[in-house]
Amino acid sequence: MNTEIENIYKELGISDKVYQFSREILDSLSARFCAIDQNAEYNQLKVIKAMQDNKVSEACLLGTTGYGYNDLGRDTLEAVYASVFHTEDALVRPQITCGTHALALALMSNLRPGDELLSPVGKPYDTLEEVIGIRPSKGSLAEYNITYRQVDLLTDGSFDYENIKKAINEKTKLVTIQRSKGYQTRPTFSVQRIGELISFIKKIKLDVICMVDNCYGEFVERMEPTDVGADMAVGSLIKNPGGGLAPIGGYIVGKKECVENAAYRLTSPGLGKEVGASLGILKDFYQGIFLAPTVTAGALKGAIFAANVYEKLGFHVVPNATETRHDIIQAVTFGTPQGVIAFCKGIQAAAPVDSFVTPEPWDMPGYDSKVIMAAGAFVSGSSIELSADGPIKPPYAVYFQGGLTYEHARFGIMKTLQNVIDTGLVAL
Ligand SMILES: *Cc1c(COP(=O)(O)O)cnc(C)c1O
């Protein structure tokens, strides 16, 4: 049996040494993988229960065209999301084009001129800088006289409660909390820590809206931010909750009023959730959230495997080999451009689609250095699929995430290791 497996790895370019090294690391991870499987089991049942409670039927998988009035499948799917996240309401639409759009929608629809937005967790994700107007942009919140305040984390990564308290004032209407670290070096927050921060904020100002950017965090834990007091959680369907099947889309779950505001902004005042044809997309949205808990678990195992491989070889990895996970992102610092490039080429070579192309660093718009990206995805740009990218600048770190199956994520990491070894950067 095992020789068969070894042989097929060999056919795919994995040496005996890399196979054995990986095997030993994976054997040492079985207890952690078991805990991840148990979370996946819990979350799988949570999704199934939500589908059953909301009577998902075969008819729900069909779509509407035109205005999309009385779209049973769309409305039921939104009820399923509301059940999964334990919220009053949900907006889950293919007309929400990406995660940034979902976040912009949640912000722009719930803030009014004269209001202030607060980020108590430091700088938000890059693309939100233009939404907020930190970097001037057409249509930003700043253009509508919505001001922004930010409180950075303390140097040890903890919340700066004293300055958060000082920053909350009579104008503060909405607080945005980003769960995942994104491309920063701070740790990702656990749902529990997010809950502590929300409690603190609500004690100072009860009616402030607490929104969580939930990107990359869905189904990593058993609880979601909406279980610990968040008024809204927002994310992308081409990340965790789409399960790899959703080809587009975003979601906003939360308080009825918050979701309603977002719906009126997405479509039109007076129309709200009543319009928005689902076309033929619903089956993928349903099947995607059904698969999301196990897909997320596979991606998590891949990330932990990568952390253990590269930490053992002496590289700095975030999160490290042993710490608990709150999102699916793994960073590995190579310290050299060659390392970043070899890693990305390995991810590409492991892909089911476009495995034969060679990624090269290029001058991507919006970045101040060359960037190399690897993805052989079924859905373009999907980062729940196995993917990696790294800016070609110090400290020469690569960010890697995803894998629709654990087996694929594992193979991808082995392929990166093989490439890094073949490039002569390390030896086993
Ligand atoms: C991906 C991501 C976004 C933006 O999502 P896009 O779909 O790329 O627009 C926002 N915040 C975080 C933390 C993310 O990871």
Side-chain angles (χ1 to χ4, degrees):
M1 273 301 273
N2 280 343
T3 15
E4 255 177 358
I5 293 178
E6 273 182 70
N7 284 342
I8 194 154
Y9 272 118
K10 213 172 288 175
E11 285 172 32
L12 285 159
I14 303 296
S15 69
D16 283 343
K17 268 190 173 170
V18 167
Y19 178 79
Q20 288 307 335
F21 180 81
S22 303
R23 187 71 267 156
E24 278 160 33
I25 286 177
L26 288 167
D27 287 345
S28 75
L29 294 173
S30 53
R32 279 189 84 187
F33 284 7
C34 182
I36 290 171
D37 286 336
Q38 284 178 347
N39 278 355
E41 182 179 359
Y42 177 85
N43 285 326
Q44 179 72 82
L45 295 174
K46 179 162 76 173
V47 171
I48 290 173
K49 183 166 189 303
M51 289 187 166
Q52 294 183 352
D53 287 351
N54 290 289
K55 294 198 159 48
V56 174
S57 64
E58 196 178 349
C60 292
L61 307 180
L62 304 173
T64 55
T65 57
Y67 292 106
Y69 293 131
N70 304 310
D71 188 321
L72 173 73
R74 178 196 67 207
D75 295 348
T76 305
L77 179 74
E78 289 178 337
V80 168
Y81 265 71
S83 295
V84 166
F85 287 91
H86 304 125
T87 55
E88 293 171 4
D89 206 352
L91 187 67
V92 186
R93 303 280 168 129
Q95 288 85 8
I96 301 175
T97 54
C98 62
T100 304
H101 186 187
L103 288 157
L105 184 60
L107 292 171
M108 294 178 164
S109 61
N110 281 287
L111 288 160
R112 295 289 178 273
D115 288 343
E116 188 160 279
L117 168 67
L118 169 68
S119 171
V121 295
K123 188 185 96 60
Y125 197 74
D126 271 26
T127 54
L128 286 189
E129 292 185 3
E130 282 166 292
V131 172
I132 296 167
I134 301 171
R135 274 186 284 142
S137 178
K138 284 191 201 305
S140 70
L141 293 173
E143 275 198 349
Y144 287 87
N145 190 28
I146 294 161
T147 52
Y148 171 69
R149 224 177 255 259
Q150 175 178 313
V151 177
D152 289 337
L153 296 171
L154 296 171
T155 42
D156 66 353
S158 60
F159 302 128
D160 184 352
Y161 284 118
E162 204 182 306
N163 281 312
I164 293 171
K165 188 170 181 180
K166 280 188 202 151
I168 297 172
N169 59 64
E170 68 292 342
K171 285 170 60 184
T172 313
K173 172 76 176 296
L174 199 153
V175 171
T176 179
I177 301 167
Q178 185 181 309
R179 178 172 175 181
S180 171
K181 65 180 166 301
Y183 294 119
Q184 295 172 72
T185 46
R186 69 154 168 96
T188 288
F189 305 126
S190 67
V191 171
Q192 190 194 331
R193 280 192 72 198
I194 290 172
E196 287 160 11
L197 178 58
I198 292 173
S199 307
F200 178 81
I201 289 164
K202 295 266 180 181
K203 258 184 228 139
I204 298 164
K205 192 169 186 180
L206 184 61
D207 62 352
V208 77
I209 299 167
C210 289
M211 178 189 94
V212 175
D213 174 351
N214 209 21
C215 280
Y216 288 129
E218 299 92 350
F219 300 119
V220 172
E221 299 182 35
R222 296 184 192 192
M223 279 191 313
E224 296 292 341
T226 42
D227 292 317
V228 294
D231 300 296
M232 269 193 291
V234 182
S236 163
L237 296 196
I238 64 167
K239 294 178 179 172
N240 308 15
L245 288 183
I248 192 172
Y251 76 89
I252 298 171
V253 292
K255 292 264 164 66
K256 191 162 188 56
E257 196 188 336
C258 295
V259 172
E260 240 168 24
N261 280 335
Y264 286 124
R265 174 84 192 207
L266 175 67
T267 64
S268 158
L271 300 180
K273 291 179 78 179
E274 304 297 319
V275 295
S278 56
L279 307 173
I281 216 160
L282 287 170
K283 180 241 161 210
D284 287 341
F285 279 12
Y286 278 107
Q287 200 172 356
I289 194 171
F290 173 74
L291 292 176
T294 50
V295 169
T296 303
L300 264 180
K301 289 181 193 170
I304 291 170
F305 174 44
N308 280 268
V309 165
Y310 285 101
E311 192 172 277
K312 196 161 183 180
L313 294 172
F315 296 102
H316 181 62
V317 295
V318 181
N320 72 26
T322 52
E323 69 190 280
T324 51
R325 302 275 161 158
H326 308 293
D327 68 12
I328 62 168
I329 315 279
Q330 182 64 50
V332 182
T333 301
F334 282 99
T336 60
Q338 292 82 358
V340 172
I341 294 167
F343 186 100
C344 288
K345 286 185 173 172
I347 292 291
Q348 190 73 40
V353 180
D354 287 338
S355 62
F356 50 87
V357 307
T358 308
E360 298 287 350
W362 63 298
D363 288 303
M364 216 178 129
Y367 289 80
D368 57 1
S369 68
K370 284 189 192 292
V371 179
I372 183 167
M373 298 196 154
F378 296 100
V379 171
S380 182
S382 164
S383 45
I384 186 62
E385 297 191 48
L386 191 65
S387 48
D389 47 74
I392 306 297
K393 65 176 180 186
Y396 300 105
V398 69
Y399 297 85
F400 132 83
Q401 66 271 313
L404 294 185
T405 68
Y406 161 55
E407 287 73 12
H408 181 218
R410 176 168 66 183
F411 170 56
I413 295 306
M414 288 165 76
K415 203 75 184 154
T416 66
L417 177 57
Q418 186 71 55
N419 242 14
V420 168
I421 290 170
D422 292 348
T423 314
L425 295 167
V426 289
L428 291 184

PDB file of all heavy atoms in Angstrom, residues 156-173:
ATOM      1  N   ASP A 156       2.913  44.171  22.157  1.00  0.00           N
ATOM      2  CA  ASP A 156       2.807  42.716  22.389  1.00  0.00           C
ATOM      3  C   ASP A 156       1.578  42.126  21.689  1.00  0.00           C
ATOM      4  O   ASP A 156       1.240  40.960  21.892  1.00  0.00           O
ATOM      5  CB  ASP A 156       2.779  42.403  23.890  1.00  0.00           C
ATOM      6  CG  ASP A 156       1.534  42.944  24.568  1.00  0.00           C
ATOM      7  OD1 ASP A 156       0.754  43.680  23.901  1.00  0.00           O
ATOM      8  OD2 ASP A 156       1.318  42.647  25.757  1.00  0.00           O
ATOM      9  N   GLY A 157       0.896  42.924  20.887  1.00  0.00           N
ATOM     10  CA  GLY A 157      -0.238  42.410  20.110  1.00  0.00           C
ATOM     11  C   GLY A 157      -1.568  42.496  20.853  1.00  0.00           C
ATOM     12  O   GLY A 157      -2.604  42.119  20.318  1.00  0.00           O
ATOM     13  N   SER A 158      -1.558  43.024  22.078  1.00  0.00           N
ATOM     14  CA  SER A 158      -2.817  43.092  22.827  1.00  0.00           C
ATOM     15  C   SER A 158      -3.563  44.399  22.505  1.00  0.00           C
ATOM     16  O   SER A 158      -3.008  45.324  21.921  1.00  0.00           O
ATOM     17  CB  SER A 158      -2.556  42.961  24.331  1.00  0.00           C
ATOM     18  OG  SER A 158      -1.723  44.004  24.762  1.00  0.00           O
ATOM     19  N   PHE A 159      -4.834  44.444  22.930  1.00  0.00           N
ATOM     20  CA  PHE A 159      -5.667  45.615  22.652  1.00  0.00           C
ATOM     21  C   PHE A 159      -5.251  46.767  23.578  1.00  0.00           C
ATOM     22  O   PHE A 159      -5.017  46.555  24.765  1.00  0.00           O
ATOM     23  CB  PHE A 159      -7.147  45.286  22.886  1.00  0.00           C
ATOM     24  CG  PHE A 159      -7.649  44.142  22.049  1.00  0.00           C
ATOM     25  CD1 PHE A 159      -8.319  43.068  22.633  1.00  0.00           C
ATOM     26  CD2 PHE A 159      -7.456  44.121  20.670  1.00  0.00           C
ATOM     27  CE1 PHE A 159      -8.790  42.003  21.859  1.00  0.00           C
ATOM     28  CE2 PHE A 159      -7.922  43.070  19.895  1.00  0.00           C
ATOM     29  CZ  PHE A 159      -8.587  42.006  20.498  1.00  0.00           C
ATOM     30  N   ASP A 160      -5.233  47.954  23.039  1.00  0.00           N
ATOM     31  CA  ASP A 160      -4.871  49.149  23.810  1.00  0.00           C
ATOM     32  C   ASP A 160      -6.159  49.724  24.411  1.00  0.00           C
ATOM     33  O   ASP A 160      -6.673  50.753  23.965  1.00  0.00           O
ATOM     34  CB  ASP A 160      -4.187  50.148  22.876  1.00  0.00           C
ATOM     35  CG  ASP A 160      -3.679  51.376  23.612  1.00  0.00           C
ATOM     36  OD1 ASP A 160      -3.986  51.534  24.811  1.00  0.00           O
ATOM     37  OD2 ASP A 160      -2.981  52.186  22.969  1.00  0.00           O
ATOM     38  N   TYR A 161      -6.669  49.050  25.461  1.00  0.00           N
ATOM     39  CA  TYR A 161      -7.982  49.397  26.011  1.00  0.00           C
ATOM     40  C   TYR A 161      -8.085  50.869  26.414  1.00  0.00           C
ATOM     41  O   TYR A 161      -9.115  51.508  26.200  1.00  0.00           O
ATOM     42  CB  TYR A 161      -8.302  48.496  27.202  1.00  0.00           C
ATOM     43  CG  TYR A 161      -8.726  47.094  26.784  1.00  0.00           C
ATOM     44  CD1 TYR A 161      -7.982  45.974  27.150  1.00  0.00           C
ATOM     45  CD2 TYR A 161      -9.881  46.891  26.027  1.00  0.00           C
ATOM     46  CE1 TYR A 161      -8.380  44.693  26.769  1.00  0.00           C
ATOM     47  CE2 TYR A 161     -10.286  45.615  25.646  1.00  0.00           C
ATOM     48  CZ  TYR A 161      -9.528  44.527  26.018  1.00  0.00           C
ATOM     49  OH  TYR A 161      -9.921  43.265  25.641  1.00  0.00           O
ATOM     50  N   GLU A 162      -7.011  51.387  26.994  1.00  0.00           N
ATOM     51  CA  GLU A 162      -7.056  52.769  27.475  1.00  0.00           C
ATOM     52  C   GLU A 162      -7.336  53.748  26.321  1.00  0.00           C
ATOM     53  O   GLU A 162      -8.201  54.615  26.424  1.00  0.00           O
ATOM     54  CB  GLU A 162      -5.702  53.072  28.107  1.00  0.00           C
ATOM     55  CG  GLU A 162      -5.729  54.177  29.120  1.00  0.00           C
ATOM     56  CD  GLU A 162      -4.311  54.417  29.645  1.00  0.00           C
ATOM     57  OE1 GLU A 162      -3.673  53.442  30.107  1.00  0.00           O
ATOM     58  OE2 GLU A 162      -3.856  55.571  29.542  1.00  0.00           O
ATOM     59  N   ASN A 163      -6.589  53.564  25.228  1.00  0.00           N
ATOM     60  CA  ASN A 163      -6.782  54.488  24.100  1.00  0.00           C
ATOM     61  C   ASN A 163      -8.047  54.189  23.299  1.00  0.00           C
ATOM     62  O   ASN A 163      -8.591  55.076  22.645  1.00  0.00           O
ATOM     63  CB  ASN A 163      -5.542  54.493  23.204  1.00  0.00           C
ATOM     64  CG  ASN A 163      -4.445  55.348  23.799  1.00  0.00           C
ATOM     65  OD1 ASN A 163      -4.696  56.482  24.219  1.00  0.00           O
ATOM     66  ND2 ASN A 163      -3.246  54.797  23.897  1.00  0.00           N
ATOM     67  N   ILE A 164      -8.505  52.931  23.352  1.00  0.00           N
ATOM     68  CA  ILE A 164      -9.784  52.612  22.698  1.00  0.00           C
ATOM     69  C   ILE A 164     -10.893  53.380  23.412  1.00  0.00           C
ATOM     70  O   ILE A 164     -11.753  54.003  22.789  1.00  0.00           O
ATOM     71  CB  ILE A 164     -10.053  51.086  22.712  1.00  0.00           C
ATOM     72  CG1 ILE A 164      -9.027  50.353  21.825  1.00  0.00           C
ATOM     73  CG2 ILE A 164     -11.479  50.785  22.246  1.00  0.00           C
ATOM     74  CD1 ILE A 164      -9.055  48.837  21.942  1.00  0.00           C
ATOM     75  N   LYS A 165     -10.824  53.362  24.740  1.00  0.00           N
ATOM     76  CA  LYS A 165     -11.834  54.081  25.536  1.00  0.00           C
ATOM     77  C   LYS A 165     -11.827  55.565  25.178  1.00  0.00           C
ATOM     78  O   LYS A 165     -12.879  56.178  25.004  1.00  0.00           O
ATOM     79  CB  LYS A 165     -11.544  53.873  27.027  1.00  0.00           C
ATOM     80  CG  LYS A 165     -12.631  54.399  27.919  1.00  0.00           C
ATOM     81  CD  LYS A 165     -12.437  53.976  29.352  1.00  0.00           C
ATOM     82  CE  LYS A 165     -13.606  54.522  30.189  1.00  0.00           C
ATOM     83  NZ  LYS A 165     -13.472  54.142  31.594  1.00  0.00           N
ATOM     84  N   LYS A 166     -10.609  56.118  25.065  1.00  0.00           N
ATOM     85  CA  LYS A 166     -10.485  57.554  24.744  1.00  0.00           C
ATOM     86  C   LYS A 166     -11.000  57.862  23.337  1.00  0.00           C
ATOM     87  O   LYS A 166     -11.490  58.952  23.068  1.00  0.00           O
ATOM     88  CB  LYS A 166      -9.013  57.985  24.816  1.00  0.00           C
ATOM     89  CG  LYS A 166      -8.540  58.237  26.223  1.00  0.00           C
ATOM     90  CD  LYS A 166      -7.132  58.839  26.193  1.00  0.00           C
ATOM     91  CE  LYS A 166      -6.421  58.606  27.524  1.00  0.00           C
ATOM     92  NZ  LYS A 166      -4.963  58.519  27.356  1.00  0.00           N
ATOM     93  N   ALA A 167     -10.867  56.877  22.424  1.00  0.00           N
ATOM     94  CA  ALA A 167     -11.217  57.136  21.016  1.00  0.00           C
ATOM     95  C   ALA A 167     -12.722  57.096  20.776  1.00  0.00           C
ATOM     96  O   ALA A 167     -13.211  57.645  19.789  1.00  0.00           O
ATOM     97  CB  ALA A 167     -10.520  56.110  20.122  1.00  0.00           C
ATOM     98  N   ILE A 168     -13.448  56.435  21.671  1.00  0.00           N
ATOM     99  CA  ILE A 168     -14.905  56.334  21.476  1.00  0.00           C
ATOM    100  C   ILE A 168     -15.552  57.643  21.928  1.00  0.00           C
ATOM    101  O   ILE A 168     -15.349  58.084  23.056  1.00  0.00           O
ATOM    102  CB  ILE A 168     -15.474  55.127  22.257  1.00  0.00           C
ATOM    103  CG1 ILE A 168     -14.874  53.826  21.700  1.00  0.00           C
ATOM    104  CG2 ILE A 168     -17.002  55.086  22.178  1.00  0.00           C
ATOM    105  CD1 ILE A 168     -15.203  52.584  22.495  1.00  0.00           C
ATOM    106  N   ASN A 169     -16.294  58.255  21.018  1.00  0.00           N
ATOM    107  CA  ASN A 169     -16.910  59.551  21.345  1.00  0.00           C
ATOM    108  C   ASN A 169     -18.350  59.568  20.850  1.00  0.00           C
ATOM    109  O   ASN A 169     -18.852  58.548  20.379  1.00  0.00           O
ATOM    110  CB  ASN A 169     -16.085  60.692  20.721  1.00  0.00           C
ATOM    111  CG  ASN A 169     -15.988  60.550  19.220  1.00  0.00           C
ATOM    112  OD1 ASN A 169     -16.999  60.623  18.514  1.00  0.00           O
ATOM    113  ND2 ASN A 169     -14.787  60.324  18.706  1.00  0.00           N
ATOM    114  N   GLU A 170     -18.991  60.746  20.937  1.00  0.00           N
ATOM    115  CA  GLU A 170     -20.426  60.816  20.593  1.00  0.00           C
ATOM    116  C   GLU A 170     -20.677  60.522  19.110  1.00  0.00           C
ATOM    117  O   GLU A 170     -21.768  60.129  18.731  1.00  0.00           O
ATOM    118  CB  GLU A 170     -21.034  62.149  21.051  1.00  0.00           C
ATOM    119  CG  GLU A 170     -20.574  63.421  20.356  1.00  0.00           C
ATOM    120  CD  GLU A 170     -19.111  63.821  20.607  1.00  0.00           C
ATOM    121  OE1 GLU A 170     -18.503  63.318  21.592  1.00  0.00           O
ATOM    122  OE2 GLU A 170     -18.561  64.610  19.823  1.00  0.00           O
ATOM    123  N   LYS A 171     -19.629  60.679  18.265  1.00  0.00           N
ATOM    124  CA  LYS A 171     -19.809  60.424  16.826  1.00  0.00           C
ATOM    125  C   LYS A 171     -19.595  58.951  16.457  1.00  0.00           C
ATOM    126  O   LYS A 171     -19.973  58.525  15.364  1.00  0.00           O
ATOM    127  CB  LYS A 171     -18.804  61.279  16.028  1.00  0.00           C
ATOM    128  CG  LYS A 171     -19.180  62.750  15.947  1.00  0.00           C
ATOM    129  CD  LYS A 171     -18.050  63.596  15.359  1.00  0.00           C
ATOM    130  CE  LYS A 171     -17.692  63.158  13.949  1.00  0.00           C
ATOM    131  NZ  LYS A 171     -16.543  63.912  13.397  1.00  0.00           N
ATOM    132  N   THR A 172     -18.940  58.200  17.339  1.00  0.00           N
ATOM    133  CA  THR A 172     -18.578  56.816  16.995  1.00  0.00           C
ATOM    134  C   THR A 172     -19.837  55.988  16.757  1.00  0.00           C
ATOM    135  O   THR A 172     -20.636  55.788  17.663  1.00  0.00           O
ATOM    136  CB  THR A 172     -17.740  56.167  18.130  1.00  0.00           C
ATOM    137  OG1 THR A 172     -16.724  57.063  18.511  1.00  0.00           O
ATOM    138  CG2 THR A 172     -17.160  54.840  17.675  1.00  0.00           C
ATOM    139  N   LYS A 173     -19.988  55.527  15.517  1.00  0.00           N
ATOM    140  CA  LYS A 173     -21.212  54.801  15.166  1.00  0.00           C
ATOM    141  C   LYS A 173     -20.922  53.319  14.929  1.00  0.00           C
ATOM    142  O   LYS A 173     -21.756  52.466  15.199  1.00  0.00           O
ATOM    143  CB  LYS A 173     -21.787  55.428  13.887  1.00  0.00           C
ATOM    144  CG  LYS A 173     -22.963  54.717  13.232  1.00  0.00           C
ATOM    145  CD  LYS A 173     -24.257  54.970  13.985  1.00  0.00           C
ATOM    146  CE  LYS A 173     -25.450  54.339  13.277  1.00  0.00           C
ATOM    147  NZ  LYS A 173     -25.725  54.892  11.953  1.00  0.00           N
TER     148      LYS A 173
END
